[in-house]
Amino acid sequence: MNLFDLSGRVAVITGGNGGIGLGIAQALAGQGCNVSIWGRNADKNKAAAASLAGLSGKVDTRVCDVTDPTSVNAAMKATLDTFGRVDGCFANAGIGGGGRRSFIERTEEEWRTMFATNLDGVFHAFQAAAKHMTARAEAGDRFGRLVATSSLASIFGTARNEHYAATKAAINALVRALGVELARHGVTANAILPGWIKSDMTSGLMANEKFVANVMPRIPVRRFGEASDFGGIAVYLMSKASSYHTADTFVIDGGYTAF
């Protein structure tokens, strides 16, 4: 097998029916990887699958609530029934900062909702995938990839989105711990951190003169990244070439680096 030929591999992408997740799905399917998209919205799942039509990899979708372990385990079983194996799990589901109120103004419900959506989803998806991957390793097939999308907020923090930064920092810590625990099974764990991605959200910021003058100089970017940049990393991480990249963090800033 060529290092970047993913024919026969199978990847699960949670929250893969839009944005970065869809970019990852398109890149993997284009390299021959079979993809199972898990999302809450059946219509969005269907549209995502349609956008991947004609690529070399097969595409499957599952309605799944990643905050619910029963739903995740059912989706994993259905994916295994369809493809026979899962080689990679890209946990992309989550929600953003959710407003500009300060830490002391946050409600208990807001705190728990943020943690459930951002952190529990990664935990449940990774646990289901890791159980399958380690069992397969015991049978002699040592290959597995766990990848979570995180945020630069997990490193630098963020004003008035503290609970968001806390969940993303927890994901990075989980990834590093899993990198140690699962390495003996041939399973790697990584986090991808988006910097500034070209989107409708960022275009509005760039129209704000104060933001451009006061904030942009502090953000270390070479250019705005594209969703396809994540796809390139995903293809690399699903290849044999990435076997030593356990618990590294890839940072998008128009290109990508590892540290």
Side-chain angles (χ1 to χ4, degrees):
M1 175 184 287
N2 183 287
L3 288 178
F4 297 99
D5 176 9
L6 305 184
S7 300
R9 299 281 190 218
V10 180
V12 165
I13 303 177
T14 67
N17 52 23
I20 294 169
L22 187 55
I24 290 174
Q26 289 171 334
L28 291 175
Q31 291 291 323
C33 187
N34 302 318
V35 176
S36 183
I37 294 174
W38 297 359
R40 291 179 177 178
N41 189 306
D43 290 336
K44 287 186 177 180
N45 290 351
K46 184 177 179 180
S51 74
L52 273 62
L55 299 177
S56 52
K58 298 178 181 177
V59 180
D60 174 65
T61 65
R62 302 286 164 190
V63 175
C64 177
D65 177 1
V66 293
T67 68
D68 178 5
T70 300
S71 181
V72 169
N73 289 331
M76 179 61 72
K77 181 181 183 303
T79 301
L80 291 174
D81 288 344
T82 298
F83 293 115
R85 60 188 289 132
V86 167
D87 299 290
C89 180
F90 291 78
N92 184 61
I95 53 177
R100 300 296 298 166
R101 290 194 292 163
S102 71
F103 175 75
I104 59 175
E105 296 173 313
R106 293 290 176 180
T107 66
E108 178 78 4
E109 181 180 2
E110 288 173 322
W111 178 265
R112 294 195 177 279
T113 297
M114 180 66 72
F115 263 72
T117 307
N118 286 344
L119 188 56
D120 289 359
V122 174
F123 174 84
H124 297 318
F126 274 10
Q127 188 176 69
K131 286 179 180 179
H132 163 69
M133 292 171 182
T134 55
R136 216 176 61 216
E138 292 175 1
D141 186 359
R142 290 167 48 83
F143 187 91
R145 301 289 185 258
L146 302 177
V147 184
T149 54
S150 185
S151 170
L152 289 177
S154 63
I155 299 175
F156 301 116
T158 177
R160 295 186 177 272
N161 281 325
E162 300 86 355
H163 58 329
Y164 169 73
T167 62
K168 297 303 183 179
I171 288 173
N172 289 350
L174 174 62
V175 162
R176 292 185 179 277
L178 288 175
V180 175
E181 178 179 337
L182 299 177
R184 63 190 177 93
H185 299 286
V187 178
T188 64
N190 292 274
I192 302 176
L193 282 69
W196 287 92
I197 305 303
K198 188 181 295 183
S199 69
D200 292 341
M201 294 174 62
T202 54
S203 64
L205 291 173
M206 295 308 294
N208 185 319
E209 293 181 1
K210 290 184 177 180
F211 177 85
V212 173
N214 299 325
V215 179
M216 279 300 292
R218 304 178 186 180
I219 301 174
V221 297
R222 294 192 294 272
R223 66 172 172 83
F224 277 78
E226 306 276 356
S228 59
D229 293 328
F230 285 89
I233 293 177
V235 170
Y236 170 74
L237 289 177
M238 278 289 287
S239 72
K240 290 183 178 179
S242 68
S243 296
Y244 62 92
H245 269 134
T246 296
D248 279 352
T249 302
F250 288 80
V251 181
I252 293 284
D253 63 351
Y256 55 90
T257 56
F259 62 88

